[in-house]
Amino acid sequence: MTKRNAAILLCLALLPLSAPLTACDSGGSGDSDSDSDSDSDSDSDSDSDSDSDTDSDTDTDTDTDTDTDVDTDTDTDTDTDADTDSDIDTDTDDCDALPSAPLAVEELVGPLAYHDLAFDNEGFIVGSGSGGENLFKAIESSAAYLWVLGVSGVQGMDYLPGGDLIAISQSQGVIRITPTGTVSTITASITGYGVQLTIGPDGMIYVGDNSTLYRIDPDTHAVESLVTGVSARGCDFSPDYTRMYIPSFDGMGDIYVVDLDDDMNVIGSPTLFATISGGGSYLDGLRVDSCGNLYVPSYSLRQLFKITPEAEVIMYYAWSPASLYGHGLKWGSGIGGWDDTSIYFAQPYDGSTVERMQVGVHYRD
């Protein structure tokens, strides 16, 4: 080893690793052998340094946004709901395409009804026997059986939402019957022949006595004279519950209307809505369909009239023979085979039987 090489080696040993090698190369370019030797040494060192940063980015920032959740959600909830609550009312009626006459009319075998009938929420039809005596139940296409014994002169009837039947009797007044057949009196002071009883959307009883229209609380038994001066036989409501229609016992075939507020209270006085010419006193019921049309049977004419929301009076159906006349009317419940696009009538002059008339439209509620 030359003295120069020894000096270089001593210098390298004393220098820190980060110092440049040129600091020990005091002799310029010199001996090619010595250069190649120093290179091999410096290379081994530089390798160790280049390795020191091998982790400098092997990470490759795996977090670069491996956020594969960048929205893989793709908002699958974008509305997969498809707004299933969009109010797709499968019972919606096309009010511009209603049939101009019944689609079918048939007398049923089994059920009994005298001046009115009602449907419960278990698939039964309820009516009274001849003269309004006793109450009978039947399921679709089956014989009626005795349900409540000892009630008499039953006229209009309707069900409370909770399942109790409310009826008006000529001899017992307004009565309440539980599903088990227990009878209690709500008020004995209101009676009437051929009158209609309706449960309103507020759960109150609305009933006429051929003079006054009453509103009765079924729980407290509080009685209110709601409409006077129109010889009220009963009432029903427009589909939006802003109007009440009242058939009159005035002998003229008149139907009155009165406006209602949000609490079902009367606004102002009733006014004449429509007149069935020759309709007489006995307008034996009134019901309103989902399009706002009224259906009113007239005993004097033995005909069923349809009255539009614009008060156009249309003869809809004529009973023949006259003994098949329908008194009192209810839409089918849609439960247990009772068609909810058909009106069911009591037939007091045909053995208190029941008739079904398919009208192709639903009841207002």
Side-chain angles (χ1 to χ4, degrees):
M1 178 184 291
T2 65
K3 288 181 180 181
R4 181 172 180 273
N5 287 345
I8 290 171
L9 287 173
L10 178 63
C11 177
L12 286 169
L14 294 174
L15 278 175
L17 290 177
S18 60
L21 295 179
T22 53
C24 294
D25 194 10
S26 57
S29 63
D31 190 341
S32 65
D33 260 349
S34 66
D35 246 347
S36 74
D37 208 9
S38 71
D39 261 349
S40 69
D41 226 359
S42 70
D43 254 347
S44 71
D45 198 28
S46 69
D47 256 351
S48 69
D49 204 22
S50 70
D51 244 350
S52 68
D53 195 19
T54 53
D55 194 27
S56 64
D57 230 332
T58 343
D59 186 2
T60 339
D61 191 7
T62 54
D63 195 26
T64 51
D65 226 324
T66 318
D67 186 6
T68 53
D69 189 38
V70 289
D71 227 326
T72 25
D73 182 2
T74 336
D75 193 7
T76 52
D77 192 27
T78 51
D79 224 325
T80 334
D81 182 354
D83 194 8
T84 51
D85 193 27
S86 58
D87 229 336
I88 302 174
D89 182 2
T90 54
D91 283 350
T92 299
D93 296 304
D94 184 352
C95 297
D96 294 325
L98 299 185
S100 58
L103 300 173
V105 179
E106 63 172 337
E107 184 174 294
L108 304 182
V109 176
L112 294 176
Y114 173 62
H115 271 178
D116 202 4
L117 49 83
F119 294 92
D120 69 11
N121 55 15
E122 295 180 347
F124 287 91
I125 187 172
V126 176
S128 58
S130 179
E133 303 302 307
N134 305 320
L135 290 173
F136 295 83
K137 274 188 173 183
I139 58 174
E140 207 257 344
S141 301
S142 72
Y145 67 88
L146 180 63
W147 174 44
V148 179
L149 183 66
V151 294
S152 61
V154 175
Q155 305 299 307
M157 62 181 74
D158 204 359
Y159 268 97
L160 290 170
D164 286 0
L165 180 70
I166 306 296
I168 180 169
S169 157
Q170 279 185 281
S171 58
Q172 295 161 287
V174 179
I175 56 177
R176 181 172 187 157
I177 304 102
T178 68
T180 58
T182 301
V183 180
S184 59
T185 300
I186 292 176
T187 175
S189 63
I190 299 172
T191 62
Y193 180 77
V195 294
Q196 178 180 339
L197 184 148
T198 302
I199 303 300
D202 52 0
M204 303 290 273
I205 304 165
Y206 292 80
V207 62
D209 65 354
N210 292 326
S211 176
T212 300
L213 183 73
Y214 300 94
R215 178 164 60 188
I216 306 171
D217 188 312
D219 299 319
T220 67
H221 300 182
V223 177
E224 175 187 2
S225 296
L226 192 64
V227 178
T228 59
V230 295
S231 303
R233 286 177 65 72
C235 73
D236 201 14
F237 306 94
S238 61
D240 60 3
Y241 303 112
T242 60
R243 310 185 94 189
M244 175 192 289
Y245 299 102
I246 305 167
S248 177
F249 193 62
D250 64 5
M252 304 297 293
D254 291 335
I255 297 159
Y256 288 85
V257 64
V258 65
D259 292 332
L260 303 172
D261 65 18
D262 293 341
D263 296 317
M264 304 295 290
N265 291 317
V266 170
I267 302 172
S269 300
T271 57
L272 183 63
F273 175 68
T275 298
I276 297 173
S277 180
S281 295
Y282 290 102
L283 302 179
D284 292 322
L286 184 155
R287 284 290 182 257
V288 181
D289 70 20
S290 66
C291 298
N293 300 295
L294 286 62
Y295 296 78
V296 184
S298 163
Y299 170 77
S300 297
L301 298 172
R302 303 296 206 275
Q303 293 173 348
L304 176 67
F305 289 86
K306 178 178 176 179
I307 305 173
T308 70
E310 296 75 36
E312 180 186 0
V313 178
I314 302 164
M315 200 286 288
Y316 188 69
Y317 183 75
W319 280 282
S320 180
S323 61
L324 298 179
Y325 170 71
H327 186 299
L329 62 157
K330 293 289 195 308
W331 256 265
S333 61
I335 303 170
W338 304 110
D339 179 31
D340 60 0
T341 62
S342 290
I343 299 174
Y344 293 78
F345 295 88
Q347 294 183 298
Y349 312 110
D350 190 41
S352 294
T353 51
V354 173
E355 178 183 73
R356 181 181 78 91
M357 183 181 293
Q358 188 179 4
V359 293
V361 63
H362 296 86
Y363 185 46
R364 58 159 170 81
D365 63 357

